Amino acid sequence: MKISARAQRVDPFYVMEVAKAAAREAASAARPVIALNIGEPDFTAPPLVQQAAERAIRDGRSQYTNALGLPALREAIAGWYFTRWGHRVDPSRIVVTAGASAALQLACLALIDAGDEVLMPDPSYPCNRQFVQAAEGRAVMVPCGPEQRFQLSAEQVRSQWGARTRGVLLASPSNPTGTSIARDELQRIAAEVRARDGITLIDEIYLGLSYDTAFGQTALSLPDGLGESVISVNSFSKYFNMTGWRLGWLVLPPALVPAVERLAQNLFICASAIAQHAALACFEPESLHEYERRRAAFQARRDVFIPELNRLGLHVPVVPDGAFYAWADIRAAAARWGLAPGGARPEDAQSWRFAFELLRRCQIAATPGRDFAQADPGRYLRFSTASSLEQLQEAVARLEAAL
């Protein structure tokens, strides 16, 4: 059977290779494997959300919804932007989707033609570039180091913009680094893109998990009308702890809504009706209070774990201001284990070999930079701090014993 060229262009998601190895290690190890490789909160949907789902099932509210989503949910999301960030969003600009993945797919299909190029920071979440590829576009990865918070700059947008460039795909806060784009820099980027009649598409799925008010603002509120042209992707998975419910949303310029609606009608019909009815309870005061308590817990985990990584020689060059990741430079630690810098093959990359050695020596699963970074895949390892504080402290104890 002939496999399409489109499918063959999509790279594997290598984090899953680590997950498979961790499962094999767990089957034979004398102590439990600590999973710091998957970016999934250890919290689940709070009680009011679970109860709302049960009511929706019991009351038979499981039929298709409008492709744009339940009107009440779109209004609730718009209300959250105002109560959380003081920014008014017209509910008619919001499209509820089957997770942020569907949101990105819809945005890319609506905006990218074959051969179009999209500028993205390197490192970045690997699936984002695959959405560009699936739309027949090409992700142009621009190396971004710690001196610029691993984020694109306006100067790079100017210098890298070419004849086929269609726009930029950003993430703030970012996976894998947990860093955000400084507000003034984001404004300059959006201005550069608008001057070229381009697209500013920004992944804000970790925005609710911001810990620093200097960064934790939505791009939709950029001044001078820039925010009105931004396309924002968000999700109920991370801040709202609903990963497997597969529910997200887009905020679009009004002129783009009809095109995305047509695509959504044909590709997805609608997001899960049960998940949508349940998500309404996310915005109840009791739920929001619980989410803020959990956000504080994620921040506390960061504040414990990252200083310990630095102490042990797993240097985190930029303290994350959001999300739940630590992007650690493993070169010094790898050298202590006798792991020399790698060769040309991806599987020889230092962080790839270090990740499997970490699993063997410490029974700790973490994600090597191969997924996230093309320019320097051997230098960094991503630790997820979405696990409990107790697990993170046990991971530190194992690392200290091994290093």
Side-chain angles (χ1 to χ4, degrees):
M1 181 180 294
K2 182 178 180 295
I3 306 298
S4 73
R6 181 187 304 104
Q8 294 182 62
R9 282 196 299 271
V10 174
D11 297 326
F13 196 10
Y14 292 106
V15 66
M16 298 307 173
E17 296 301 314
V18 178
K20 288 188 286 188
R24 291 193 297 269
E25 180 70 23
S28 59
R31 56 185 176 178
V33 170
I34 299 175
L36 305 183
N37 55 319
I38 304 295
E40 181 170 37
D42 60 335
F43 300 114
T44 58
L48 289 185
V49 177
Q50 297 182 36
Q51 293 162 17
E54 291 169 358
R55 283 196 304 273
I57 294 169
R58 187 173 59 247
D59 297 345
R61 287 179 289 166
S62 57
Q63 292 90 353
Y64 295 137
T65 72
N66 185 286
L68 297 176
L70 289 171
L73 183 56
R74 297 165 75 196
E75 291 170 5
I77 293 168
W80 186 59
Y81 278 102
F82 183 72
T83 57
R84 180 67 186 268
W85 292 289
H87 179 68
R88 294 191 182 278
V89 175
D90 189 331
S92 67
R93 296 174 57 195
I94 296 171
V95 180
V96 178
T97 61
S101 296
L104 278 160
Q105 182 181 9
L106 288 167
C108 289
L109 290 174
L111 294 164
I112 297 170
D113 283 318
D116 285 348
E117 296 179 349
V118 177
L119 304 179
M120 296 177 61
D122 181 338
S124 63
Y125 182 57
C127 296
N128 287 1
R129 67 177 182 266
Q130 304 307 335
F131 290 116
V132 174
Q133 300 252 37
E136 307 291 337
R138 187 172 81 88
V140 177
M141 309 307 297
V142 181
C144 299
E147 71 284 351
Q148 59 193 83
R149 304 181 58 78
F150 301 109
Q151 296 281 6
L152 274 177
S153 67
E155 174 55 37
Q156 286 176 313
V157 172
R158 280 193 295 272
S159 64
Q160 296 292 323
W161 199 281
R164 299 305 304 268
T165 306
R166 186 75 177 94
V168 297
L169 174 47
L170 313 170
S172 185
S174 165
N175 177 4
T177 65
T179 61
S180 299
I181 307 171
R183 182 77 171 175
D184 57 349
E185 191 66 26
L186 182 57
Q187 183 175 342
R188 286 191 286 268
I189 291 170
E192 291 288 343
V193 174
R194 185 172 67 177
R196 293 160 176 78
D197 195 27
I199 304 157
T200 299
L201 178 57
I202 183 161
D203 171 349
E204 294 190 319
I205 71 173
Y206 294 99
L207 185 61
L209 292 175
S210 292
Y211 313 123
D212 188 334
T213 56
F215 299 103
Q217 296 291 319
T218 175
L220 296 167
S221 64
L222 287 173
D224 302 325
L226 291 168
E228 296 170 10
S229 60
V230 164
I231 298 149
S232 173
V233 176
N234 217 310
S235 171
F236 285 92
S237 289
K238 308 303 182 180
Y239 177 75
F240 295 103
N241 309 149
M242 295 174 68
T243 51
W245 300 66
R246 308 314 304 133
L247 197 65
W249 73 87
L250 284 163
V251 182
L252 302 168
L256 190 55
V257 173
V260 170
E261 182 178 16
R262 290 195 303 273
L263 287 166
Q265 288 168 336
N266 283 277
L267 296 179
F268 300 103
I269 301 180
C270 67
S272 161
I274 299 299
Q276 290 189 64
H277 285 292
L280 286 167
C282 290
F283 304 101
E284 294 290 338
E286 180 182 328
S287 297
L288 290 172
H289 177 77
E290 176 62 14
Y291 287 130
E292 284 301 287
R293 185 193 70 79
R294 294 176 181 186
R295 181 169 70 100
F298 283 127
Q299 182 175 357
R301 295 171 187 183
R302 178 200 68 171
D303 293 344
V304 167
F305 190 64
I306 289 179
E308 290 296 318
L309 288 181
N310 288 330
R311 181 177 66 84
L312 295 170
L314 292 158
H315 179 55
V316 179
V318 185
V319 175
D321 57 86
F324 37 62
Y325 301 111
W327 188 237
D329 187 329
I330 55 84
R331 291 175 299 173
R336 287 161 70 179
W337 282 353
L339 300 174
R345 298 185 308 165
E347 57 269 29
D348 292 335
Q350 197 172 31
S351 71
W352 181 261
R353 290 177 291 131
F354 183 84
F356 286 92
E357 193 68 14
L358 181 67
L359 189 59
R360 185 183 70 83
R361 292 185 185 223
C362 301
Q363 288 74 56
I364 296 172
T367 306
R370 182 177 179 182
D371 263 330
F372 307 99
Q374 295 182 344
D376 195 0
R379 181 173 178 176
Y380 293 99
L381 195 75
R382 189 196 75 176
F383 292 93
S384 168
T385 56
S387 297
S388 70
L389 187 58
E390 292 74 19
Q391 282 197 308
L392 294 171
Q393 290 170 329
E394 172 62 19
V396 168
R398 293 185 189 184
L399 285 167
E400 186 160 33
L403 289 168

